[in-house]
Amino acid sequence: MSTSISRSQQFCLLGTGWITGFCMCFLYIRHTTKDCPPQIVHPCSVPAKPLSVSNDTLPDKPIMLVWVWPETDDYKFDPVKCKERYNIDGCHLTDNRDLYSQADAVLFYHKGIKKDLSNLPQTPRPPFQKWIWFNLESPTNTRPKSGLENLFNLTLTYRRDSDISVRYYLNVSKIPKEFEIPEKDKLVCWFVSNTNPGTGTGTRMKFYEELRTYVNVNVFGKMAGKRLTDEEYYPTMASCKFYLSFENSIHRDYMTEKFNGPLSIGTVPIVLGPPRDNYEQFAPHNSFIHVADFPSASALAQHLLVLDKDDAAYRRYFEWRKYVTATPHYAVWNEEFILPICRACDYVSRHNEYKETHDLFKWYSS
Ligand SMILES: *[C@@H]1O[C@H](CO)[C@@H](O)[C@H](O)[C@H]1NC(C)=O
Ligand SMILES: *[C@@H]1O[C@H](CO)[C@@H](O)[C@H](O)[C@H]1NC(C)=O
Ligand SMILES: *[C@@H]1O[C@H](CO)[C@@H](O)[C@H](O)[C@H]1NC(C)=O
């Protein structure tokens, strides 16, 4: 074993003998990762294209092609942002469809796929290529499209059991930190634009309507005719003791930036979404209030009014911050897809496993 490893390593280092070296080089890399120079990973997994070192025509990283961008062109971004923001640099991220036949992975945004699938690639899929199903909407707001059920290799969604899961994870640190609660001049706030009951918002509207009869809720956003600019998002949220993190629809793992925003900025989220134990898989039990912790909206309101007067009790909602850190997400309206796409790029650069995804919508609605 050791002799074959050193021989394949030699091939890697010399960058020659691709045809004969391919098999062993490939095996070697799959089992170690760090020891070979990174530029050989790509040619090793795609033996048909021998690579001469630093040839611009073929990037030395896996290619991830964005075939269908999310929403409109306003959401396109410069791939260099993956490096700048998340230190992700492992793939060649492109939307140049000429690279289709060479692409290691192709990303499709679910909403952008036409119902008759006519905007999918019409040429055969290369055998090494993985198709990624990208969707950030909840199942309530995902229209199944016939023909996609068994077409993809990887899923990119908020779900934890996706191949690539897009979440805002909290980080644990060994060194205790003091957290300073921001200045507050409001009790309860809510930023809300989507009030379309067709998207599942009925539950949260009903709860809000009841809650507001017991406690004043400062509403911002389209619903209140008080839209916040991107710059006002965090300062306004920070000025509220509590924030209504009400998801538009209720599904396992579906906790969005509405939850991460207040957690990261020093405001206590009041969550309406999946059950408490699901939230506690991602955030400390004493970092948020769940609407189901109380028998009624009135009881919740009473609790909030008590906390408003009891500083020590309010501060206890921040004790977790000593050892856990929440990272603010970018609150710019057209930047919500940058992190997921960068994460997909990172995944593609680290994973070579064969994978098929079946019964896509059955899984997603489960
Ligand atoms: C890159 O590859 C192309 C063909 O694949 C070749 O024509 C060109 O000379 C190469 N450039 C360098 C700098 O090696
Ligand atoms: C949390 O961890 C992630 C990755 O593990 C890292 O990208 C991020 O910068 C960390 N955030 C903080 C505030 O340390
Ligand atoms: C990707 O999934 C498709 C559909 O299930 C399958 O035919 C193909 O072999 C898979 N390819 C890879 C590289 O995983």
Side-chain angles (χ1 to χ4, degrees):
M1 192 60 196
S2 68
T3 52
S4 64
I5 282 173
S6 66
R7 218 169 96 221
S8 62
Q9 193 174 19
Q10 235 173 10
F11 278 124
C12 290
L13 293 171
L14 291 171
T16 55
W18 284 112
I19 308 301
T20 45
F22 163 68
C23 291
M24 281 186 265
C25 187
F26 184 66
L27 286 172
Y28 178 69
I29 287 159
R30 301 259 325 234
H31 289 102
T32 59
T33 64
K34 286 256 151 56
D35 297 335
C36 282
Q39 66 265 28
I40 58 167
V41 173
H42 183 63
C44 279
S45 56
V46 188
K49 293 168 293 177
L51 175 78
S52 53
V53 182
S54 80
N55 190 325
D56 282 351
T57 60
L58 189 68
D60 56 1
K61 307 176 212 178
I63 300 171
M64 189 174 93
L65 170 62
V66 179
W67 189 267
V68 183
W69 279 94
E71 308 295 342
T72 63
D73 280 358
D74 292 330
Y75 288 83
K76 288 189 181 184
F77 64 93
D78 186 336
V80 80
K81 290 214 161 101
C82 293
K83 170 83 178 144
E84 288 170 358
R85 292 185 177 186
Y86 309 112
N87 200 24
I88 290 173
D89 193 22
C91 86
H92 177 72
L93 183 58
T94 178
D95 61 1
N96 177 1
R97 292 186 174 187
D98 293 344
L99 293 176
Y100 173 74
S101 63
Q102 302 171 53
D104 300 82
V106 185
L107 186 85
F108 301 89
Y109 186 66
H110 178 72
K111 259 206 260 174
I113 300 172
K114 292 204 171 129
K115 210 166 162 248
D116 61 4
L117 315 188
S118 61
N119 62 341
L120 293 185
Q122 300 301 314
T123 44
R125 176 181 346 181
F128 56 84
Q129 186 174 86
K130 287 181 185 164
W131 285 18
I132 305 174
W133 185 68
F134 175 27
N135 183 20
L136 295 186
E137 298 292 343
S138 77
T140 297
N141 295 307
T142 300
R143 192 166 302 156
K145 288 169 188 160
S146 166
L148 300 185
E149 295 85 351
N150 303 302
L151 203 56
F152 294 92
N153 304 91
L154 303 169
T155 53
L156 169 61
T157 84
Y158 68 88
R159 284 265 294 256
R160 227 167 10 141
D161 58 354
S162 302
D163 298 290
I164 314 160
S165 177
V166 187
R167 306 196 61 87
Y168 306 104
Y169 289 101
L170 306 185
N171 293 356
V172 178
S173 93
K174 234 175 176 171
I175 306 149
K177 282 183 304 268
E178 282 311 313
F179 178 72
E180 203 172 316
I181 302 171
E183 293 279 328
K184 308 288 181 185
D185 61 14
K186 300 175 204 69
L187 185 59
V188 186
C189 298
W190 191 25
F191 303 171
V192 61
S193 295
N194 173 18
T195 52
N196 174 4
T199 60
T201 59
T203 309
R204 74 177 181 196
M205 273 313 285
K206 192 162 162 277
F207 196 92
Y208 159 73
E209 289 295 350
E210 211 191 327
L211 186 67
R212 66 187 286 221
T213 63
Y214 305 106
V215 65
N216 178 47
V217 179
N218 299 275
V219 183
F220 299 89
K222 207 160 80 186
M223 184 175 108
K226 273 190 282 184
R227 285 199 201 211
L228 293 174
T229 63
D230 295 334
E231 293 73 34
E232 289 168 327
Y233 177 86
Y234 279 119
T236 308
M237 193 178 273
S239 71
C240 314
K241 286 190 175 172
F242 301 96
Y243 179 80
L244 302 185
S245 301
F246 286 10
E247 301 300 346
N248 62 22
S249 50
I250 296 172
H251 299 276
R252 175 166 48 91
D253 293 354
Y254 191 57
M255 301 145 211
T256 62
E257 82 295 336
K258 297 176 182 66
F259 185 45
N260 188 65
L263 279 183
S264 63
I265 210 66
T267 291
V268 178
I270 299 172
V271 304
L272 184 153
R276 174 173 262 283
D277 62 356
N278 196 192
Y279 278 91
E280 288 182 8
Q281 286 169 334
F282 303 99
H285 67 97
N286 55 356
S287 63
F288 63 94
I289 293 172
H290 197 293
V291 296
D293 295 342
F294 298 89
S296 64
S298 145
L300 168 61
Q302 292 319 310
H303 181 67
L304 302 180
L305 292 167
V306 167
L307 287 173
D308 193 26
K309 300 269 172 320
D310 185 345
D311 230 39
Y314 180 69
R315 300 190 81 83
R316 282 203 283 277
Y317 283 96
F318 297 93
E319 274 171 1
W320 61 277
R321 302 215 58 134
K322 211 164 180 179
Y323 292 100
V324 182
T325 316
T327 311
H329 54 272
Y330 285 84
V332 177
W333 69 274
N334 63 348
E335 296 200 329
E336 65 176 304
F337 301 107
I338 298 182
L339 176 63
I341 292 176
C342 296
R343 285 250 176 96
C345 165
D346 189 49
Y347 183 96
V348 164
S349 70
R350 292 169 195 271
H351 291 265
N352 239 339
E353 303 93 67
Y354 185 85
K355 172 85 200 316
E356 296 183 12
T357 293
H358 290 294
D359 298 319
L360 183 65
F361 302 111
K362 200 171 139 205
W363 162 70
Y364 203 56
S365 64
S366 67

